[in-house]
Amino acid sequence: MSEEMFATWAVRICVGFLIAMMFFIVFQLAHENKAGKYGTMILLIALMMGVLGFGIKLGVELILSHHGL
């Protein structure tokens, strides 16, 4: 396994773990502050926008590497 491949997989795994931790932190924060359904939804939507951005980044990298660009 090359250093580049290891770094790529390490980033994907670590960011995935970080996203899971942030989900629980945001959910606990919303629960402790009694944010309600609307407040919790807004907090989770903000988190999911970041997750979506990371997913789009991975998709673009996959497409570019597939086409050799």
Side-chain angles (χ1 to χ4, degrees), residues 2 7-8 12 14 29 39 43-44 48 51 54 56 64 67 69:
S2 69
T8 300
R12 288 180 183 171
C14 290
L29 179 68
L43 289 171
L44 292 177
M48 290 304 125
V51 173
F54 185 70
I56 291 171
L64 291 178
H67 292 292
L69 298 174

Side-chain angles (χ1 to χ4, degrees), residues 10-40:
V11 167
R12 288 180 183 171
I13 291 169
C14 290
V15 169
F17 180 72
L18 182 64
I19 288 169
M21 280 183 27
M22 285 190 301
F23 173 79
F24 289 114
I25 290 169
V26 167
F27 189 76
Q28 183 180 9
L29 179 68
H31 180 71
E32 287 179 358
N33 290 315
K34 297 179 175 78
K37 290 180 184 177
Y38 182 71
T40 303

